[in-house]
Amino acid sequence: MKARIKSTILLFLTAIIWGFAVVAQRVGADYVGPFTFNGIRFLLGACSLIPVILIFKKEKFNKEKFLKTLFVGFAAGVILFIGASLQQFGIEITGSVGKAAFLTGLYTIFVPVMRFMMGKRSSVLSFVGAAFALLGLFLLCMTGNRIAFGKGDVLLILGAVFWALHILVVDKFVNSVSPLKFSMMQFFFCGILSMIFALLTEDIQLSAIGSAGIPILYGGLMSVGIAYTCQILAQKNADPTFAAVVFSTESVFGAIGGAIILHEFMSRRGYLGCALIFIGIILSQLDLKTILKLKETKK
């Protein structure tokens, strides 16, 4: 019982940290370019996992497994780089933490849809959830009586597609590689690619990086290092479906963080759209057969 309570607390702590990370990204965008912000924070995140690996993952060196981890880490890092870049540009353009959090959360809808397109089975509730999310998306992006997808909205939605693709890649290879080392490598490659593009396209100034220091530290150490460690510890004693539902609340915590810290607010229609997207996200994480089995067990 104590293990489950501890697990639940860690799950929500992870969701809260991830949710407030969108606030850090929004603040950081005022000082440094998207590639610079992501480059530094992902490299920090990679470094923060080194002590975690030394403490939690002591194993003998296996050359074949290491090379596979390195290759998959690079592939996932490239996808992560594209997704994170699109998200950061989207946040910078929209300037809205709440909208960014919920549009990014659409990745949980895209995962089962993409699995279905790949010929794999998906829950009926996944498509019901997608319908709710689509309606919510229209409400969230409406301007007056017209549906208007701005450039920032499109970038955030495209970013969510790459987040979903990233999850599918991780799901396919995670059991054949070293999970923590894989995470460190993908963050490292993502950070390196971001810094290369930053050097080519952005004016990097130490004073600006210093001004964005707290958001960068939060995004790198808290969102990546601490939150990932909490996720690992929490999922040891948590039901996968319950864990997915709790993690999906990060979009809500992102909106709350935007309201409390940055005093950002939306119209009633915008909040209704967010609510529908959140309902869709929750439904997409549930399995109808599992729910029916639980009901039969309780009878």
Side-chain angles (χ1 to χ4, degrees):
M1 186 66 179
K2 288 183 179 180
R4 286 187 178 182
I5 293 174
K6 181 181 178 181
S7 176
T8 301
I9 292 172
L10 288 174
L11 287 172
F12 275 105
L13 179 61
T14 303
I16 292 169
I17 292 174
W18 282 343
F20 277 75
V22 184
V23 180
Q25 290 175 252
R26 168 65 186 83
V27 176
D30 290 335
Y31 301 100
V32 295
F35 292 125
T36 301
F37 183 86
N38 281 337
I40 299 174
R41 82 177 180 108
F42 275 106
L43 288 175
L44 275 175
C47 292
S48 71
L49 285 180
I50 294 175
V52 178
I53 292 172
L54 293 176
I55 295 171
F56 292 102
K57 201 66 178 177
K58 296 179 181 179
E59 59 182 8
K60 292 183 179 180
F61 179 77
N62 183 306
K63 184 178 180 180
E64 185 179 345
K65 191 173 184 179
F66 172 77
L67 290 175
K68 187 170 185 179
T69 302
L70 183 65
F71 174 76
V72 177
F74 174 74
V78 172
I79 297 171
L80 188 62
F81 160 71
I82 298 172
S85 299
L86 289 169
Q87 183 194 41
Q88 191 63 24
F89 274 103
I91 291 173
E92 185 178 290
I93 294 171
T94 61
S96 172
V97 172
K99 177 182 280 191
F102 279 96
L103 291 182
T104 298
L106 287 172
Y107 74 86
T108 58
I109 304 291
F110 293 148
V111 169
V113 172
M114 290 169 73
R115 281 176 59 86
F116 179 78
M117 292 172 66
M118 293 165 61
K120 296 182 179 180
R121 177 183 170 277
S122 294
S123 168
V124 174
L125 289 177
S126 298
F127 297 99
V128 176
F132 272 92
L134 186 60
L135 178 59
L137 177 63
F138 287 147
L139 291 175
L140 187 60
C141 296
M142 283 186 74
T143 302
N145 294 318
R146 297 176 57 191
I147 298 172
F149 289 95
K151 183 179 179 181
D153 300 330
V154 174
L155 290 177
L156 288 167
I157 294 170
L158 286 175
V161 172
F162 278 92
W163 289 123
L165 181 60
H166 177 264
I167 288 175
L168 292 175
V169 170
V170 172
D171 181 64
K172 183 175 179 60
F173 295 104
V174 72
N175 292 323
S176 59
V177 298
S178 301
L180 284 173
K181 291 179 182 177
F182 158 73
S183 290
M184 183 187 72
M185 288 178 183
Q186 67 168 347
F187 295 143
F188 175 76
F189 285 122
C190 178
I192 289 295
L193 285 170
S194 297
M195 288 308 301
I196 290 173
F197 275 81
L199 290 169
L200 293 173
T201 63
E202 296 174 355
D203 179 21
I204 303 175
Q205 298 181 359
L206 291 177
S207 59
I209 293 174
S211 298
I214 293 177
I216 289 173
L217 286 172
Y218 184 94
L221 300 180
M222 293 292 290
S223 180
V224 177
I226 293 177
Y228 184 81
T229 305
C230 287
Q231 179 191 14
I232 294 293
L233 295 173
Q235 289 195 249
K236 286 183 178 180
N237 299 297
D239 175 77
T241 300
F242 176 71
V245 171
V246 174
F247 287 149
S248 69
T249 62
E250 67 174 282
S251 57
V252 177
F253 289 118
I256 292 173
I260 294 175
I261 299 174
L262 301 179
H263 308 292
E264 289 185 0
F265 299 97
M266 295 184 233
S267 64
R268 290 181 180 178
R269 185 165 53 196
Y271 281 118
L272 177 58
C274 289
L276 289 173
I277 290 175
F278 183 62
I279 291 171
I281 289 172
I282 295 295
L283 288 174
S284 70
Q285 303 304 308
L286 301 176
D287 183 73
L288 190 58
K289 288 185 177 180
T290 303
I291 295 172
L292 292 173
K293 285 181 181 179
L294 288 173
K295 285 185 176 182
E296 289 176 2
T297 305
K298 290 179 179 179
K299 288 182 180 179

